[in-house]
Every structure is written in structure tokens, then in C-alpha cells.
């Protein structure tokens, strides 16, 4: 029999892929729609603190992905507040709603990010590694702490520390494609900074694996086993698209264009590894970036 899964942020890059894959596998998927009216349940409006799950019945798992985009727009004070509040308030609200259900779900998989670790240069980072510094680390720390009510209610909570999801249809890779296709793609800053990445089909596989593995809880790195330096990513993407990649984008230009965001998104180095998933026996579909990019175009 299929599972019953509630997903917030279901219309995003990850959510859309999850809904399609779970439905294809015979699961019943309920999207927690954002709405300001009393439309069909379940719906919520996290910015107004409203949520209505309705007569939702027993759920096997809740996957909580919702949050204001981190990489869109400049990090003004107001934008940073939206990034933090949409995650912290939304997570607390959702936890309050699911813990109040007559039959609370067994599992909550709540999104977080490898940004938790901050800029750590060449250090290898597993789930035991400490919290980093910077805005993203602060966001992730608050985001993870916001599930406390679910943990106190004995729901198994997984903090999925997601790496950069690479898929030509959306997110970071889609944004990179235009300059690279024009032949003006190049390494960012020094190019030695590590990026912890994973494919869209691996994040789907990992979420599926996490639902069915009750031994996994707390922080889990959702990344491929082989993080890459930016210069390697640049070279592999140029090769996959048959385009030159001679033009580096200097760090000072990135800082001028993107402000603080440049430091934390483009220039920070995060070399995270999926220790818990490897130990638990998850089988990666796309462990190597060269193979993965080679099949995408
Ligand atoms: N993609 C990545 O590379 C990556 C890496 C690390 C972490 N993550 C995290 O994983 C989660 C899912 O990623 P994604 O790439 O699928 O994100 P996404 O495409 O930006 O989708 C996020 C979804 O959250 C909802 N949302 C947007 N603004 C919101 C707001 N102000 N308040 C509440 N909900 C809002 C929307 O769904 P509805 O309209 O359906 O409500 C949106 O489709 C995000 O929280 C993201 O930060 C992603």
C-alpha cells in the first residue's frame, strides 16, 4: 500500500520532482498549498500564522520544504528577514499543526542546507561538524531549532542539510546555463572553493530513503559523495556544453554585483559529505559530477 505524505513548498524545484515521483510510485501526496482564503484543505498562510489541515487522516511523513528563495534578489535587511521568517515562523507553525493532529505523523523531514557549516575551505564536513558563521549558517541553525515542538512530541525529525541541487530545469544550474552557452562562463573568484552538490533524482531518492529508514534522524547531509571545486565544475560544464570557459569572474566583481550574497553563495567553500546516508546504505544514482553533467545536454 502507498504512503500518505504531506509536502509544503510542493510547487518548487524539489517539491515538484517529489510529488511526481511519489505519485508515480503509488503514494498519496497532499500539497500544503499557500493561500489567503479558506480554500480546500490543507492550506496555510505562514506569514499570517494561519494553517488549516482539515480532516487529513493519518500521515506517514511530512516533508517541509517551504521558504522564501535564498538566491533571488539582493540580501537587503528586508529580504534577509523574509528568508529567516518564512523558514522559522513557517516551521514552528507547521510543527504546531501536525503535533495537534489526532494522529501525528511518524516522520518530519524538514529542509535545511549545507550552508549550516558556513565557509570552511578544504575541511571535510559530516553531520558531526560544528555550526559555521555567517548569515546562511544562522538561518539554518534557527530553521533546524524551529522543529523543537515536533521532537518534543516524539516525531522522528530529520534535518535534511541539502547541497546545491543541480538540474537543467531549475535552480543554480539553470542560471549558469545562459553564460556558459554563450561561451562567457568561467570560474568564480579563485575557483578553489568547494560546492556540495546533488542531482534532482538523488534528492528524490534520498527523501524516499529517509521516510523508510526510521534509524535516521537529526541532521543528514543530502549531497553527493564527491563535492567539487568551482574550477572543476566550470571545466566539466564547459565540456558538457562544448563551450570555452576562459573568462573567470573575479571575486571583486561578484562582490560588487551581489554584495554579501557573493561571499556566502559563490565564494564560500563547503565540502560536505553524506556520511549518514552512506552508512545507512543509500545507493547514489549520480555520485560523480562528470558522469552526471555528461548525460544532461
Ligand atoms: N535547490 C537547492 O539547491 C537547495 C539547496 C539547499 C537548500 N534548499 C532548500 O530546500 C527547500 C526546497 O528547495 P527548492 O529549490 O525546491 O526551493 P524553491 O524552488 O525556491 O521552492 C520553495 C517553495 O517554498 C514556497 N515559498 C516560497 N516563498 C515562500 C514564503 N515566503 N513563505 C513560505 N513558503 C514560500 C513555494 O511553494 P508554494 O508556493 O507551494 O508554497 C516555493 O515553491 C528550500 O527551503 C530551499 O531553501 C534548496
Amino acid at each position: 500500500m502507498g504512503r500518505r505524505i504531506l509536502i509544503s513548498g510542493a510547487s518548487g524545484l524539489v517539491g515538484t520532482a517529489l510529488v511526481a515521483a511519489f505519485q508515480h510510485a503509488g503514494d498519496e501526496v497532499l500539497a500544503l498549498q499557500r493561500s489567503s482564503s479558506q480554500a480546500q484543505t490543507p492550506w496555510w498562510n505562514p506569514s499570517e500564522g494561519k494553517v488549516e489541515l482539515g480532516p487529513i487522516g493519518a500521515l506517514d511523513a511530512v516533508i517541509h520544504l517551504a521558504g522564501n528563495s535564498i538566491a533571488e534578489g539582493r540580501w537587503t535587511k528586508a529580504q534577509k528577514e523574509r528568508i529567516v521568517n518564512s523558514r522559522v515562523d513557517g516551521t514552528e507553525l507547521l510543527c504546531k499543526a501536525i503535533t495537534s493532529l489526532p494522529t501525528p505523523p511518524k516522520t518530519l523531514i524538514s529542509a535545511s542546507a549545507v550552508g549550516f557549516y558556513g565557509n570552511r575551505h578544504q575541511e571535510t564536513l559530516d553531520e558531526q561538524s560544528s555550526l559555521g558563521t555567517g548569515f546562511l549558517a544562522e538561518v539554518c541553525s534557527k530553521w533546524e531549532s524551529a522543529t523543537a515542538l515536533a521532537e518534543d512530541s516524539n516525531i522522528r525529525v530529520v534535518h535534511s542539510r541539502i547541497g546545491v541541487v543541480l538540474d537543467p530545469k531549475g535552480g543554480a544550474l539553470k542560471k549558469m546555463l545562459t553564460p556558459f552557452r554563450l561561451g562567457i562562463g568561467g570560474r568564480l573568484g579563485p575557483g578553489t572553493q568547494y560546492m556540495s552538490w546533488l542531482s534532482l533524482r538523488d534528492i528524490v531518492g534520498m527523501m524516499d530513503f529517509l521516510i523508510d529508514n526510521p534509524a535516521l534522524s537529526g541532521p543528514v547531509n543530502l549531497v553527493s559523495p564527491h563535492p567539487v571545486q568551482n574550477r572543476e565544475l566550470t571545466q566539466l560544464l564547459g565540456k558538457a556544453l562544448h563551450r570555452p570557459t576562459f573568462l573567470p569572474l573575479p571575486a571583486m566583481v561578484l562582490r560588487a554585483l551581489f554584495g554579501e550574497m557573493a561571499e556566502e553563495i559563490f565564494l564560500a567553500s563547503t565540502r560536505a559529505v553524506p556520511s549518514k546516508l552512506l552508512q545507512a546504505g543509500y545507493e547514489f544514482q549520480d555520485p560523480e559530477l562528470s558522469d552526471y553533467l555528461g548525460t544532461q545536454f
Side-chain angles (χ1 to χ4, degrees), residues 9-14 34 46 65-68 70 86-87 111-113 143 162-165:
S11 68
L13 175 68
V14 176
R34 262 186 312 154
L65 303 168
N68 194 94
I70 283 174
S86 64
R87 287 177 169 75
S112 179
W143 198 3
I162 304 169
V164 180
V165 180

Side-chain angles (χ1 to χ4, degrees), residues 166-168 173 177 181 197 199 201 228 232-242 285-297:
L166 292 185
D167 189 272
L173 183 57
L177 285 179
R181 284 194 165 124
W197 69 281
S199 69
R201 65 178 182 168
V228 291
E232 190 184 350
L233 165 68
T234 302
Q235 184 233 323
L236 291 174
L237 187 54
K239 194 173 157 203
L241 294 169
H242 308 290
Q285 298 174 73
D286 299 301
E288 297 283 352
L289 188 62
S290 52
D291 296 337
Y292 174 65
L293 288 180
T295 57
Q296 293 305 301
F297 307 103

Side-chain angles (χ1 to χ4, degrees), residues 159-219:
H159 294 122
S160 53
R161 292 185 183 157
I162 304 169
V164 180
V165 180
L166 292 185
D167 189 272
K169 290 193 294 292
L173 183 57
K174 189 180 175 195
K175 285 189 182 136
M176 291 168 71
L177 285 179
T178 303
F180 274 79
R181 284 194 165 124
L182 291 170
I184 52 169
R187 69 175 159 76
L188 305 178
T192 50
Q193 66 277 33
Y194 274 91
M195 182 183 74
S196 305
W197 69 281
L198 76 166
S199 69
L200 193 55
R201 65 178 182 168
D202 260 327
I203 197 169
V204 170
M206 291 171 189
M207 290 288 183
D208 182 56
F209 186 83
L210 288 168
I211 295 173
D212 289 342
N213 274 271
L216 286 168
S217 63

Side-chain angles (χ1 to χ4, degrees), residues 224-295:
S224 90
H226 302 291
V228 291
Q229 289 180 297
N230 177 265
R231 59 187 174 196
E232 190 184 350
L233 165 68
T234 302
Q235 184 233 323
L236 291 174
L237 187 54
K239 194 173 157 203
L241 294 169
H242 308 290
R243 290 288 185 277
T245 53
F246 301 130
L247 288 173
L249 204 50
M252 59 186 290
V253 176
L254 282 165
R255 286 185 190 112
L257 287 173
F258 299 100
E260 185 185 353
M261 204 166 130
E263 217 60 67
E264 296 210 21
I265 292 193
F266 304 119
L267 299 169
S269 182
T270 309
R271 190 182 188 179
V273 289
S275 292
K276 283 194 177 175
L277 284 173
L278 284 169
Q279 267 165 22
Y282 175 74
E283 287 179 24
F284 287 82
Q285 298 174 73
D286 299 301
E288 297 283 352
L289 188 62
S290 52
D291 296 337
Y292 174 65
L293 288 180
T295 57

